[in-house]
Amino acid sequence: MQDTFRHKGLRKKLVEQLRTKSITNEQVLAAIEKIPRHLFLDLAFLEFAYQDKPFPIGSGQTISQPYTVAFQTQLLDLKPREKVLEIGTGSGYQACVLAEMGVKVFSIERQKKLFEKAKTFLPSIGYQIRLFYGDGYKGLPAFAPFDKILITAGAPCIPEALVQQLRPGGRMVVPVGDGNHQEMTLIKKGEDGTTTIEHYGGFLFVPMLENKAQD
Ligand code: SAH
């Protein structure tokens, strides 16, 4: 599958749409304009790759809507070379957007099939991302602390182990809520280790599931 002028044109249009929806971070927009999202979708959805919609990626999971990816990335307020942990690799698209922001990306996925697919696919399109198969609720204590943590599945509550893996001065973005509605939540950890919480409206994600990783 190739990245054609037509795909590039569709991406430009998508970026214009995101601008009208209050995405203002130019680096985020540049990343979305650059990454060939159609390569992350099943062939059957090729025509829809550049609509601002979520889509199935197998194993009952979805690739987030571009607006949601852009919104979460913007909230992280990334600086080059920061260490970022993503929970929910899925197709790997969000991880590539992070990589385009010049940060060091670590990403965890609990579905074995999705993990394995991303592990071969991402390097094939030029992204070297540190991918882990496991339970995101536990984070990656061996690699902590992280400057930023991004959760791309709906968490029933703020995962405490992850807050602990955030460095003082760091930020975590997590959609918090039940199966039907999540509130986009930004957790800021102060230099003294205390946290403040801000809310950014309603979103809909697949659930962040507890305990064991899945084959
Ligand atoms: N960021 C992805 C979209 C993710 S959908 C992308 O860009 O395509 C949410 C993902 O979170 C799913 O793949 C799901 O399997 C994964 N997930 C759910 N609970 C998890 C957990 N506890 N640990 C790690 N991954 C989890």
Side-chain angles (χ1 to χ4, degrees):
M1 178 86 54
Q2 287 183 341
D3 191 27
T4 64
F5 280 115
R6 181 163 167 267
H7 293 124
K8 290 186 177 111
L10 290 170
R11 282 208 291 284
K12 258 196 190 344
K13 279 196 188 140
L14 172 61
V15 163
E16 290 317 313
Q17 251 181 295
L18 295 177
R19 279 186 201 282
T20 66
K21 296 181 182 173
S22 82
I23 302 299
T24 52
N25 184 314
E26 288 300 327
Q27 275 176 289
V28 173
L29 293 167
I32 288 175
E33 186 159 343
K34 180 169 177 196
I35 302 169
R37 188 172 187 257
H38 62 283
L39 300 182
F40 293 73
L41 302 185
D42 286 349
L43 228 45
F45 299 117
L46 199 58
E47 284 304 310
F48 304 98
Y50 296 110
Q51 295 182 8
D52 190 16
K53 290 182 179 159
F55 272 108
I57 51 171
S59 306
Q61 305 303 324
T62 56
I63 178 171
S64 300
Q65 181 179 348
Y67 171 71
T68 304
V69 171
F71 191 85
Q72 287 196 292
T73 310
Q74 191 165 275
L75 266 188
L76 284 173
D77 190 24
L78 298 168
K79 307 285 185 301
R81 291 176 295 284
E82 282 185 332
K83 234 166 96 182
V84 182
L85 173 63
E86 179 197 23
I87 311 299
T89 314
S91 68
Y93 178 74
Q94 169 76 71
C96 292
V97 170
L98 296 172
E100 283 293 338
M101 307 289 290
V103 300
K104 223 189 264 181
V105 187
F106 297 72
S107 184
I108 311 178
E109 173 57 55
R110 74 184 281 281
Q111 295 267 4
K112 190 86 175 253
K113 274 199 191 127
L114 292 174
F115 162 75
E116 277 170 356
K117 197 168 166 191
K119 214 166 166 58
T120 49
F121 174 61
L122 298 185
S124 81
I125 59 164
Y127 290 96
Q128 308 302 333
I129 288 164
R130 296 151 190 83
L131 298 174
F132 299 81
Y133 167 59
D135 179 9
Y137 276 100
K138 299 191 176 76
L140 292 174
F143 297 91
F146 295 94
D147 298 295
K148 307 284 163 69
I149 298 179
L150 172 61
I151 302 183
T152 67
C157 55
I158 296 170
E160 201 37 52
L162 296 181
V163 177
Q164 278 173 21
Q165 290 175 35
L166 203 55
R167 78 156 167 81
R171 285 182 166 216
M172 175 156 110
V173 172
V174 49
V176 180
D178 63 21
N180 301 315
H181 175 91
Q182 294 96 29
E183 188 69 19
M184 192 61 76
T185 306
L186 171 65
I187 296 136
K188 290 181 179 168
K189 196 180 224 182
E191 294 297 340
D192 62 356
T194 57
T195 52
T196 54
I197 295 179
E198 295 172 13
H199 296 290
Y200 287 88
F203 285 80
L204 187 57
F205 284 79
V206 296
M208 181 171 175
L209 299 169
E210 206 78 63
N211 296 325
K212 69 177 177 73
Q214 288 240 315
D215 282 331

